[in-house]
Amino acid sequence: MNFQYWNEKIEKMARVDLNALQLQKLKTEIGYALRTSFYKERLIKAGIQSPDDIKTLDDLNKIPFTTKDDLRDGFPYGFLSIPKEEVIRLHASSGTTGIPTTIYFNKDDIKNWADYMARCIYATGSTKEDVFQNMITYGLFTGGLGFHQGGEEVGMLVIPAGAGNTSRQFKMMQDYGTTVLHATPSFLLHLETKMKEAGIARESLHLKRAFAGAEPYSEDTRKRIEALLKVDVYNSYGLSEMNGPGVAFECQCKDGLHIWEDGYIAEIVNPDTLLPVKNGETGELVLTILCREATPILRYRTRDLTSFYTEQCACGRTHRRLKRITGRSDDMLIINGVNVFPSQIEEVIMGMKEVGNNYLIVVEKDGALDKLIVKTEVSEGIFMDDSRSLNAIKERIRETLQASISINPKVELHEKGTLPVSEGKAVRVNDTRPKDV
């Protein structure tokens, strides 16, 4: 696979041709899956004994869904389709069970991943003239090496900065003329605070754009980062089970994430019934990878909630676009019988100018009832000794949240920089309720 990082033939392919390409690649992936100990029995039971049993894309529906628990049950080599001697890398994500979900790559798999990642980066307007500072964790986490290898494919000067150490990050930005950043949205917000504390003038930096991912965030958070850092922020989507970053990305229109359909088949289903939702309706994203041999994964339930745009993007790319991930079907909080997603709370508070860049959602028991506490830092210029002003802000936040989520929360205001900051994925929810409740 040799991409030109604008590949007009692929990225503007007619839907009928794109579907034909998907069917061809799906058959190849089925062949890989039949070599794994996990899928062989499952596929044969579904009536698929060879790739030729897949006649149309609709035959995908014959295949059972794959879950994270399946990946853990198959640990360590149940999903491996090639001899171990041909594997050149693995990535793994930890979980609450202690059993990681492990993904293996051969040489071609790594190149394919780098190519898709390069396509994402190029779609934002980034080129080999840019200096790319990758401020995300390296190692078993896919975000670091995924973006790194994509940046190199584009021809950018890549700085493997890693996460944390803001003073060193600023020094590298100034020394090397960094133009593009990659970090979690929470760390990008943290950067702005530290920039002011360090007395670094924004004019001394050459930043143009930033890639934000690894955790869900609202449109108001994107606008806040753009205003504070004076950069264009592009939304990234990926997950380790599908290689990592590079599954879907925003183009310069910043109007939804193009999911690269020559590399992935995307379905959106009702998370309760597992039936397809109507086009444009929100549901759980299900993905089948079409660009990896070593670890084929079919119909993977991502738990991420999203929907498809129904119209084509103004950029001319024909690959469908995903709307911003609104949350996960498994991170929903049930508070006194009401369903609440953390993203709903973020959307409200990040749209308020009095609220700072950091917040924490706490759920605890108050007798027999659940209690929701929303802790937010105040923005610069809000004086913590002005109780009248603080009470007015708290009441406005409380009323707006209650109107949005139908729950009356307790609101706590904290001085800027006093709530804990994570250098990796932000921990936004602290649910202290007993687990058996």
Side-chain angles (χ1 to χ4, degrees), residues 252-287:
Q252 287 177 282
C253 295
K254 291 197 287 189
D255 188 23
L257 299 106
H258 290 276
I259 184 160
W260 306 123
E261 295 186 87
D262 58 320
Y264 305 90
I265 295 177
E267 308 168 73
I268 296 181
V269 302
N270 182 304
D272 297 320
T273 66
L274 300 183
L275 296 174
V277 301
K278 293 179 182 178
N279 195 26
E281 287 186 355
T282 297
E284 180 182 335
L285 181 63
V286 174
L287 292 172

PDB file of all heavy atoms in Angstrom, residues 252-287:
ATOM      1  N   GLN A 252      -9.742  19.774   7.262  1.00  0.00           N
ATOM      2  CA  GLN A 252      -9.673  21.198   7.557  1.00  0.00           C
ATOM      3  C   GLN A 252     -11.050  21.845   7.707  1.00  0.00           C
ATOM      4  O   GLN A 252     -11.162  22.940   8.256  1.00  0.00           O
ATOM      5  CB  GLN A 252      -8.859  21.914   6.477  1.00  0.00           C
ATOM      6  CG  GLN A 252      -7.364  21.625   6.598  1.00  0.00           C
ATOM      7  CD  GLN A 252      -6.557  22.279   5.492  1.00  0.00           C
ATOM      8  OE1 GLN A 252      -6.532  21.783   4.368  1.00  0.00           O
ATOM      9  NE2 GLN A 252      -5.913  23.385   5.809  1.00  0.00           N
ATOM     10  N   CYS A 253     -12.103  21.155   7.255  1.00  0.00           N
ATOM     11  CA  CYS A 253     -13.466  21.675   7.457  1.00  0.00           C
ATOM     12  C   CYS A 253     -13.886  21.593   8.925  1.00  0.00           C
ATOM     13  O   CYS A 253     -14.798  22.313   9.350  1.00  0.00           O
ATOM     14  CB  CYS A 253     -14.456  20.909   6.594  1.00  0.00           C
ATOM     15  SG  CYS A 253     -14.215  21.127   4.815  1.00  0.00           S
ATOM     16  N   LYS A 254     -13.257  20.694   9.681  1.00  0.00           N
ATOM     17  CA  LYS A 254     -13.580  20.488  11.103  1.00  0.00           C
ATOM     18  C   LYS A 254     -15.082  20.296  11.298  1.00  0.00           C
ATOM     19  O   LYS A 254     -15.700  20.902  12.165  1.00  0.00           O
ATOM     20  CB  LYS A 254     -13.049  21.654  11.954  1.00  0.00           C
ATOM     21  CG  LYS A 254     -11.534  21.681  12.028  1.00  0.00           C
ATOM     22  CD  LYS A 254     -11.018  22.552  13.158  1.00  0.00           C
ATOM     23  CE  LYS A 254     -11.179  24.018  12.854  1.00  0.00           C
ATOM     24  NZ  LYS A 254     -10.492  24.869  13.857  1.00  0.00           N
ATOM     25  N   ASP A 255     -15.638  19.416  10.478  1.00  0.00           N
ATOM     26  CA  ASP A 255     -17.077  19.174  10.494  1.00  0.00           C
ATOM     27  C   ASP A 255     -17.324  17.669  10.515  1.00  0.00           C
ATOM     28  O   ASP A 255     -17.911  17.105   9.603  1.00  0.00           O
ATOM     29  CB  ASP A 255     -17.728  19.823   9.269  1.00  0.00           C
ATOM     30  CG  ASP A 255     -19.251  19.778   9.318  1.00  0.00           C
ATOM     31  OD1 ASP A 255     -19.797  19.653  10.434  1.00  0.00           O
ATOM     32  OD2 ASP A 255     -19.879  19.859   8.244  1.00  0.00           O
ATOM     33  N   GLY A 256     -16.857  17.025  11.572  1.00  0.00           N
ATOM     34  CA  GLY A 256     -16.989  15.574  11.683  1.00  0.00           C
ATOM     35  C   GLY A 256     -15.692  14.864  11.342  1.00  0.00           C
ATOM     36  O   GLY A 256     -14.805  15.419  10.687  1.00  0.00           O
ATOM     37  N   LEU A 257     -15.588  13.617  11.813  1.00  0.00           N
ATOM     38  CA  LEU A 257     -14.362  12.832  11.627  1.00  0.00           C
ATOM     39  C   LEU A 257     -14.541  11.851  10.478  1.00  0.00           C
ATOM     40  O   LEU A 257     -15.414  10.981  10.516  1.00  0.00           O
ATOM     41  CB  LEU A 257     -14.041  12.055  12.907  1.00  0.00           C
ATOM     42  CG  LEU A 257     -13.780  12.875  14.164  1.00  0.00           C
ATOM     43  CD1 LEU A 257     -14.981  12.759  15.104  1.00  0.00           C
ATOM     44  CD2 LEU A 257     -12.530  12.410  14.875  1.00  0.00           C
ATOM     45  N   HIS A 258     -13.703  11.986   9.450  1.00  0.00           N
ATOM     46  CA  HIS A 258     -13.737  11.032   8.337  1.00  0.00           C
ATOM     47  C   HIS A 258     -13.217   9.683   8.831  1.00  0.00           C
ATOM     48  O   HIS A 258     -12.073   9.581   9.297  1.00  0.00           O
ATOM     49  CB  HIS A 258     -12.845  11.518   7.192  1.00  0.00           C
ATOM     50  CG  HIS A 258     -13.375  12.724   6.487  1.00  0.00           C
ATOM     51  ND1 HIS A 258     -14.305  12.643   5.473  1.00  0.00           N
ATOM     52  CD2 HIS A 258     -13.117  14.044   6.654  1.00  0.00           C
ATOM     53  CE1 HIS A 258     -14.581  13.869   5.026  1.00  0.00           C
ATOM     54  NE2 HIS A 258     -13.872  14.731   5.734  1.00  0.00           N
ATOM     55  N   ILE A 259     -14.066   8.659   8.747  1.00  0.00           N
ATOM     56  CA  ILE A 259     -13.611   7.312   9.077  1.00  0.00           C
ATOM     57  C   ILE A 259     -13.135   6.669   7.785  1.00  0.00           C
ATOM     58  O   ILE A 259     -13.854   6.646   6.782  1.00  0.00           O
ATOM     59  CB  ILE A 259     -14.710   6.486   9.774  1.00  0.00           C
ATOM     60  CG1 ILE A 259     -14.160   5.128  10.179  1.00  0.00           C
ATOM     61  CG2 ILE A 259     -15.973   6.367   8.941  1.00  0.00           C
ATOM     62  CD1 ILE A 259     -14.972   4.440  11.250  1.00  0.00           C
ATOM     63  N   TRP A 260     -11.899   6.189   7.764  1.00  0.00           N
ATOM     64  CA  TRP A 260     -11.285   5.691   6.530  1.00  0.00           C
ATOM     65  C   TRP A 260     -11.864   4.321   6.203  1.00  0.00           C
ATOM     66  O   TRP A 260     -11.446   3.304   6.730  1.00  0.00           O
ATOM     67  CB  TRP A 260      -9.772   5.672   6.666  1.00  0.00           C
ATOM     68  CG  TRP A 260      -9.217   7.005   7.065  1.00  0.00           C
ATOM     69  CD1 TRP A 260      -8.455   7.292   8.149  1.00  0.00           C
ATOM     70  CD2 TRP A 260      -9.408   8.260   6.383  1.00  0.00           C
ATOM     71  NE1 TRP A 260      -8.153   8.626   8.193  1.00  0.00           N
ATOM     72  CE2 TRP A 260      -8.727   9.250   7.122  1.00  0.00           C
ATOM     73  CE3 TRP A 260     -10.094   8.638   5.219  1.00  0.00           C
ATOM     74  CZ2 TRP A 260      -8.697  10.588   6.737  1.00  0.00           C
ATOM     75  CZ3 TRP A 260     -10.076   9.983   4.841  1.00  0.00           C
ATOM     76  CH2 TRP A 260      -9.382  10.947   5.585  1.00  0.00           C
ATOM     77  N   GLU A 261     -12.853   4.343   5.311  1.00  0.00           N
ATOM     78  CA  GLU A 261     -13.640   3.145   5.061  1.00  0.00           C
ATOM     79  C   GLU A 261     -12.931   2.111   4.196  1.00  0.00           C
ATOM     80  O   GLU A 261     -13.436   0.998   4.050  1.00  0.00           O
ATOM     81  CB  GLU A 261     -14.985   3.538   4.443  1.00  0.00           C
ATOM     82  CG  GLU A 261     -15.848   4.352   5.405  1.00  0.00           C
ATOM     83  CD  GLU A 261     -17.227   4.623   4.853  1.00  0.00           C
ATOM     84  OE1 GLU A 261     -18.117   3.776   5.047  1.00  0.00           O
ATOM     85  OE2 GLU A 261     -17.402   5.675   4.204  1.00  0.00           O
ATOM     86  N   ASP A 262     -11.784   2.449   3.642  1.00  0.00           N
ATOM     87  CA  ASP A 262     -10.987   1.420   2.976  1.00  0.00           C
ATOM     88  C   ASP A 262     -10.149   0.644   3.997  1.00  0.00           C
ATOM     89  O   ASP A 262      -9.523  -0.357   3.649  1.00  0.00           O
ATOM     90  CB  ASP A 262     -10.076   2.027   1.909  1.00  0.00           C
ATOM     91  CG  ASP A 262      -9.132   3.091   2.471  1.00  0.00           C
ATOM     92  OD1 ASP A 262      -9.558   3.889   3.328  1.00  0.00           O
ATOM     93  OD2 ASP A 262      -7.956   3.108   2.058  1.00  0.00           O
ATOM     94  N   GLY A 263     -10.167   1.081   5.252  1.00  0.00           N
ATOM     95  CA  GLY A 263      -9.435   0.389   6.304  1.00  0.00           C
ATOM     96  C   GLY A 263     -10.316  -0.165   7.402  1.00  0.00           C
ATOM     97  O   GLY A 263      -9.880  -1.018   8.183  1.00  0.00           O
ATOM     98  N   TYR A 264     -11.576   0.305   7.454  1.00  0.00           N
ATOM     99  CA  TYR A 264     -12.480  -0.091   8.533  1.00  0.00           C
ATOM    100  C   TYR A 264     -13.913  -0.128   8.011  1.00  0.00           C
ATOM    101  O   TYR A 264     -14.316   0.746   7.237  1.00  0.00           O
ATOM    102  CB  TYR A 264     -12.407   0.900   9.707  1.00  0.00           C
ATOM    103  CG  TYR A 264     -11.004   1.095  10.231  1.00  0.00           C
ATOM    104  CD1 TYR A 264     -10.182   2.091   9.706  1.00  0.00           C
ATOM    105  CD2 TYR A 264     -10.502   0.271  11.230  1.00  0.00           C
ATOM    106  CE1 TYR A 264      -8.889   2.258  10.168  1.00  0.00           C
ATOM    107  CE2 TYR A 264      -9.203   0.440  11.697  1.00  0.00           C
ATOM    108  CZ  TYR A 264      -8.399   1.428  11.165  1.00  0.00           C
ATOM    109  OH  TYR A 264      -7.123   1.596  11.604  1.00  0.00           O
ATOM    110  N   ILE A 265     -14.671  -1.112   8.443  1.00  0.00           N
ATOM    111  CA  ILE A 265     -16.119  -1.115   8.222  1.00  0.00           C
ATOM    112  C   ILE A 265     -16.770  -0.642   9.509  1.00  0.00           C
ATOM    113  O   ILE A 265     -16.515  -1.199  10.586  1.00  0.00           O
ATOM    114  CB  ILE A 265     -16.642  -2.510   7.852  1.00  0.00           C
ATOM    115  CG1 ILE A 265     -16.058  -2.959   6.506  1.00  0.00           C
ATOM    116  CG2 ILE A 265     -18.172  -2.503   7.767  1.00  0.00           C
ATOM    117  CD1 ILE A 265     -16.473  -4.362   6.100  1.00  0.00           C
ATOM    118  N   ALA A 266     -17.585   0.386   9.398  1.00  0.00           N
ATOM    119  CA  ALA A 266     -18.239   0.971  10.573  1.00  0.00           C
ATOM    120  C   ALA A 266     -19.728   0.688  10.541  1.00  0.00           C
ATOM    121  O   ALA A 266     -20.391   0.887   9.519  1.00  0.00           O
ATOM    122  CB  ALA A 266     -17.992   2.479  10.611  1.00  0.00           C
ATOM    123  N   GLU A 267     -20.248   0.240  11.671  1.00  0.00           N
ATOM    124  CA  GLU A 267     -21.679   0.081  11.880  1.00  0.00           C
ATOM    125  C   GLU A 267     -22.053   0.866  13.130  1.00  0.00           C
ATOM    126  O   GLU A 267     -21.220   1.049  14.018  1.00  0.00           O
ATOM    127  CB  GLU A 267     -22.055  -1.386  12.113  1.00  0.00           C
ATOM    128  CG  GLU A 267     -21.553  -2.370  11.066  1.00  0.00           C
ATOM    129  CD  GLU A 267     -21.725  -3.806  11.540  1.00  0.00           C
ATOM    130  OE1 GLU A 267     -22.892  -4.291  11.556  1.00  0.00           O
ATOM    131  OE2 GLU A 267     -20.712  -4.439  11.916  1.00  0.00           O
ATOM    132  N   ILE A 268     -23.295   1.315  13.206  1.00  0.00           N
ATOM    133  CA  ILE A 268     -23.793   1.943  14.420  1.00  0.00           C
ATOM    134  C   ILE A 268     -25.063   1.213  14.825  1.00  0.00           C
ATOM    135  O   ILE A 268     -26.014   1.118  14.042  1.00  0.00           O
ATOM    136  CB  ILE A 268     -24.045   3.448  14.230  1.00  0.00           C
ATOM    137  CG1 ILE A 268     -22.716   4.159  13.925  1.00  0.00           C
ATOM    138  CG2 ILE A 268     -24.689   4.053  15.470  1.00  0.00           C
ATOM    139  CD1 ILE A 268     -22.832   5.657  13.733  1.00  0.00           C
ATOM    140  N   VAL A 269     -25.047   0.664  16.052  1.00  0.00           N
ATOM    141  CA  VAL A 269     -26.155  -0.171  16.514  1.00  0.00           C
ATOM    142  C   VAL A 269     -26.715   0.372  17.827  1.00  0.00           C
ATOM    143  O   VAL A 269     -26.056   1.126  18.543  1.00  0.00           O
ATOM    144  CB  VAL A 269     -25.706  -1.642  16.726  1.00  0.00           C
ATOM    145  CG1 VAL A 269     -25.133  -2.215  15.443  1.00  0.00           C
ATOM    146  CG2 VAL A 269     -24.697  -1.758  17.872  1.00  0.00           C
ATOM    147  N   ASN A 270     -27.942  -0.011  18.105  1.00  0.00           N
ATOM    148  CA  ASN A 270     -28.533   0.276  19.405  1.00  0.00           C
ATOM    149  C   ASN A 270     -27.801  -0.576  20.447  1.00  0.00           C
ATOM    150  O   ASN A 270     -27.758  -1.798  20.315  1.00  0.00           O
ATOM    151  CB  ASN A 270     -30.025  -0.071  19.382  1.00  0.00           C
ATOM    152  CG  ASN A 270     -30.723   0.240  20.684  1.00  0.00           C
ATOM    153  OD1 ASN A 270     -30.341  -0.233  21.743  1.00  0.00           O
ATOM    154  ND2 ASN A 270     -31.778   1.030  20.609  1.00  0.00           N
ATOM    155  N   PRO A 271     -27.207   0.018  21.485  1.00  0.00           N
ATOM    156  CA  PRO A 271     -26.407  -0.775  22.437  1.00  0.00           C
ATOM    157  C   PRO A 271     -27.218  -1.773  23.248  1.00  0.00           C
ATOM    158  O   PRO A 271     -26.650  -2.699  23.831  1.00  0.00           O
ATOM    159  CB  PRO A 271     -25.764   0.285  23.335  1.00  0.00           C
ATOM    160  CG  PRO A 271     -26.618   1.502  23.180  1.00  0.00           C
ATOM    161  CD  PRO A 271     -27.175   1.455  21.796  1.00  0.00           C
ATOM    162  N   ASP A 272     -28.533  -1.601  23.277  1.00  0.00           N
ATOM    163  CA  ASP A 272     -29.382  -2.531  24.027  1.00  0.00           C
ATOM    164  C   ASP A 272     -29.875  -3.680  23.144  1.00  0.00           C
ATOM    165  O   ASP A 272     -29.806  -4.840  23.527  1.00  0.00           O
ATOM    166  CB  ASP A 272     -30.566  -1.784  24.636  1.00  0.00           C
ATOM    167  CG  ASP A 272     -30.137  -0.734  25.649  1.00  0.00           C
ATOM    168  OD1 ASP A 272     -29.190  -1.015  26.426  1.00  0.00           O
ATOM    169  OD2 ASP A 272     -30.720   0.358  25.659  1.00  0.00           O
ATOM    170  N   THR A 273     -30.365  -3.338  21.938  1.00  0.00           N
ATOM    171  CA  THR A 273     -30.919  -4.371  21.051  1.00  0.00           C
ATOM    172  C   THR A 273     -29.879  -4.941  20.097  1.00  0.00           C
ATOM    173  O   THR A 273     -30.078  -6.018  19.532  1.00  0.00           O
ATOM    174  CB  THR A 273     -32.074  -3.798  20.227  1.00  0.00           C
ATOM    175  OG1 THR A 273     -31.562  -2.801  19.324  1.00  0.00           O
ATOM    176  CG2 THR A 273     -33.122  -3.166  21.123  1.00  0.00           C
ATOM    177  N   LEU A 274     -28.784  -4.193  19.886  1.00  0.00           N
ATOM    178  CA  LEU A 274     -27.715  -4.545  18.939  1.00  0.00           C
ATOM    179  C   LEU A 274     -28.210  -4.549  17.491  1.00  0.00           C
ATOM    180  O   LEU A 274     -27.543  -5.107  16.607  1.00  0.00           O
ATOM    181  CB  LEU A 274     -27.075  -5.897  19.289  1.00  0.00           C
ATOM    182  CG  LEU A 274     -26.419  -5.966  20.677  1.00  0.00           C
ATOM    183  CD1 LEU A 274     -25.753  -7.318  20.887  1.00  0.00           C
ATOM    184  CD2 LEU A 274     -25.415  -4.847  20.858  1.00  0.00           C
ATOM    185  N   LEU A 275     -29.325  -3.915  17.241  1.00  0.00           N
ATOM    186  CA  LEU A 275     -29.839  -3.760  15.883  1.00  0.00           C
ATOM    187  C   LEU A 275     -29.365  -2.430  15.315  1.00  0.00           C
ATOM    188  O   LEU A 275     -29.138  -1.469  16.061  1.00  0.00           O
ATOM    189  CB  LEU A 275     -31.362  -3.814  15.881  1.00  0.00           C
ATOM    190  CG  LEU A 275     -31.991  -5.147  16.313  1.00  0.00           C
ATOM    191  CD1 LEU A 275     -33.508  -5.013  16.397  1.00  0.00           C
ATOM    192  CD2 LEU A 275     -31.597  -6.258  15.347  1.00  0.00           C
ATOM    193  N   PRO A 276     -29.205  -2.337  13.981  1.00  0.00           N
ATOM    194  CA  PRO A 276     -28.748  -1.079  13.383  1.00  0.00           C
ATOM    195  C   PRO A 276     -29.717   0.064  13.684  1.00  0.00           C
ATOM    196  O   PRO A 276     -30.938  -0.135  13.692  1.00  0.00           O
ATOM    197  CB  PRO A 276     -28.716  -1.389  11.879  1.00  0.00           C
ATOM    198  CG  PRO A 276     -28.659  -2.878  11.782  1.00  0.00           C
ATOM    199  CD  PRO A 276     -29.401  -3.399  12.970  1.00  0.00           C
ATOM    200  N   VAL A 277     -29.177   1.237  13.934  1.00  0.00           N
ATOM    201  CA  VAL A 277     -30.016   2.426  14.090  1.00  0.00           C
ATOM    202  C   VAL A 277     -30.250   3.035  12.715  1.00  0.00           C
ATOM    203  O   VAL A 277     -29.571   2.699  11.746  1.00  0.00           O
ATOM    204  CB  VAL A 277     -29.355   3.467  15.027  1.00  0.00           C
ATOM    205  CG1 VAL A 277     -29.105   2.877  16.403  1.00  0.00           C
ATOM    206  CG2 VAL A 277     -28.049   3.999  14.418  1.00  0.00           C
ATOM    207  N   LYS A 278     -31.219   3.928  12.621  1.00  0.00           N
ATOM    208  CA  LYS A 278     -31.456   4.620  11.362  1.00  0.00           C
ATOM    209  C   LYS A 278     -30.295   5.569  11.085  1.00  0.00           C
ATOM    210  O   LYS A 278     -29.649   6.071  11.999  1.00  0.00           O
ATOM    211  CB  LYS A 278     -32.776   5.404  11.432  1.00  0.00           C
ATOM    212  CG  LYS A 278     -34.009   4.511  11.517  1.00  0.00           C
ATOM    213  CD  LYS A 278     -35.275   5.355  11.609  1.00  0.00           C
ATOM    214  CE  LYS A 278     -36.512   4.472  11.733  1.00  0.00           C
ATOM    215  NZ  LYS A 278     -37.756   5.280  11.866  1.00  0.00           N
ATOM    216  N   ASN A 279     -30.053   5.814   9.795  1.00  0.00           N
ATOM    217  CA  ASN A 279     -28.956   6.686   9.416  1.00  0.00           C
ATOM    218  C   ASN A 279     -29.119   8.065  10.066  1.00  0.00           C
ATOM    219  O   ASN A 279     -30.170   8.689   9.964  1.00  0.00           O
ATOM    220  CB  ASN A 279     -28.908   6.839   7.889  1.00  0.00           C
ATOM    221  CG  ASN A 279     -27.588   7.438   7.423  1.00  0.00           C
ATOM    222  OD1 ASN A 279     -26.565   7.303   8.092  1.00  0.00           O
ATOM    223  ND2 ASN A 279     -27.596   8.094   6.289  1.00  0.00           N
ATOM    224  N   GLY A 280     -28.083   8.509  10.760  1.00  0.00           N
ATOM    225  CA  GLY A 280     -28.125   9.795  11.451  1.00  0.00           C
ATOM    226  C   GLY A 280     -28.467   9.687  12.917  1.00  0.00           C
ATOM    227  O   GLY A 280     -28.280  10.654  13.663  1.00  0.00           O
ATOM    228  N   GLU A 281     -28.986   8.527  13.361  1.00  0.00           N
ATOM    229  CA  GLU A 281     -29.314   8.342  14.772  1.00  0.00           C
ATOM    230  C   GLU A 281     -28.085   7.942  15.565  1.00  0.00           C
ATOM    231  O   GLU A 281     -27.160   7.323  15.039  1.00  0.00           O
ATOM    232  CB  GLU A 281     -30.401   7.267  14.929  1.00  0.00           C
ATOM    233  CG  GLU A 281     -31.778   7.699  14.491  1.00  0.00           C
ATOM    234  CD  GLU A 281     -32.838   6.659  14.812  1.00  0.00           C
ATOM    235  OE1 GLU A 281     -32.480   5.554  15.287  1.00  0.00           O
ATOM    236  OE2 GLU A 281     -34.032   6.933  14.583  1.00  0.00           O
ATOM    237  N   THR A 282     -28.091   8.272  16.854  1.00  0.00           N
ATOM    238  CA  THR A 282     -26.961   7.957  17.731  1.00  0.00           C
ATOM    239  C   THR A 282     -27.056   6.513  18.209  1.00  0.00           C
ATOM    240  O   THR A 282     -28.134   6.010  18.516  1.00  0.00           O
ATOM    241  CB  THR A 282     -26.951   8.905  18.936  1.00  0.00           C
ATOM    242  OG1 THR A 282     -26.748  10.243  18.475  1.00  0.00           O
ATOM    243  CG2 THR A 282     -25.827   8.548  19.906  1.00  0.00           C
ATOM    244  N   GLY A 283     -25.921   5.859  18.259  1.00  0.00           N
ATOM    245  CA  GLY A 283     -25.843   4.501  18.768  1.00  0.00           C
ATOM    246  C   GLY A 283     -24.397   4.149  19.053  1.00  0.00           C
ATOM    247  O   GLY A 283     -23.510   5.018  19.076  1.00  0.00           O
ATOM    248  N   GLU A 284     -24.147   2.864  19.273  1.00  0.00           N
ATOM    249  CA  GLU A 284     -22.792   2.395  19.581  1.00  0.00           C
ATOM    250  C   GLU A 284     -22.044   2.047  18.299  1.00  0.00           C
ATOM    251  O   GLU A 284     -22.553   1.338  17.431  1.00  0.00           O
ATOM    252  CB  GLU A 284     -22.857   1.166  20.485  1.00  0.00           C
ATOM    253  CG  GLU A 284     -21.479   0.616  20.846  1.00  0.00           C
ATOM    254  CD  GLU A 284     -21.558  -0.635  21.704  1.00  0.00           C
ATOM    255  OE1 GLU A 284     -22.577  -0.822  22.415  1.00  0.00           O
ATOM    256  OE2 GLU A 284     -20.592  -1.424  21.662  1.00  0.00           O
ATOM    257  N   LEU A 285     -20.824   2.536  18.199  1.00  0.00           N
ATOM    258  CA  LEU A 285     -19.992   2.286  17.034  1.00  0.00           C
ATOM    259  C   LEU A 285     -19.404   0.873  17.096  1.00  0.00           C
ATOM    260  O   LEU A 285     -18.834   0.471  18.109  1.00  0.00           O
ATOM    261  CB  LEU A 285     -18.866   3.321  16.972  1.00  0.00           C
ATOM    262  CG  LEU A 285     -17.895   3.227  15.798  1.00  0.00           C
ATOM    263  CD1 LEU A 285     -18.601   3.455  14.474  1.00  0.00           C
ATOM    264  CD2 LEU A 285     -16.755   4.231  15.977  1.00  0.00           C
ATOM    265  N   VAL A 286     -19.559   0.134  15.996  1.00  0.00           N
ATOM    266  CA  VAL A 286     -18.999  -1.216  15.862  1.00  0.00           C
ATOM    267  C   VAL A 286     -18.036  -1.194  14.673  1.00  0.00           C
ATOM    268  O   VAL A 286     -18.381  -0.713  13.593  1.00  0.00           O
ATOM    269  CB  VAL A 286     -20.117  -2.254  15.628  1.00  0.00           C
ATOM    270  CG1 VAL A 286     -19.526  -3.632  15.337  1.00  0.00           C
ATOM    271  CG2 VAL A 286     -21.042  -2.318  16.830  1.00  0.00           C
ATOM    272  N   LEU A 287     -16.824  -1.703  14.865  1.00  0.00           N
ATOM    273  CA  LEU A 287     -15.789  -1.611  13.839  1.00  0.00           C
ATOM    274  C   LEU A 287     -15.217  -2.978  13.471  1.00  0.00           C
ATOM    275  O   LEU A 287     -15.011  -3.836  14.339  1.00  0.00           O
ATOM    276  CB  LEU A 287     -14.643  -0.714  14.322  1.00  0.00           C
ATOM    277  CG  LEU A 287     -14.964   0.771  14.489  1.00  0.00           C
ATOM    278  CD1 LEU A 287     -13.801   1.497  15.144  1.00  0.00           C
ATOM    279  CD2 LEU A 287     -15.294   1.415  13.145  1.00  0.00           C
TER     280      LEU A 287
END
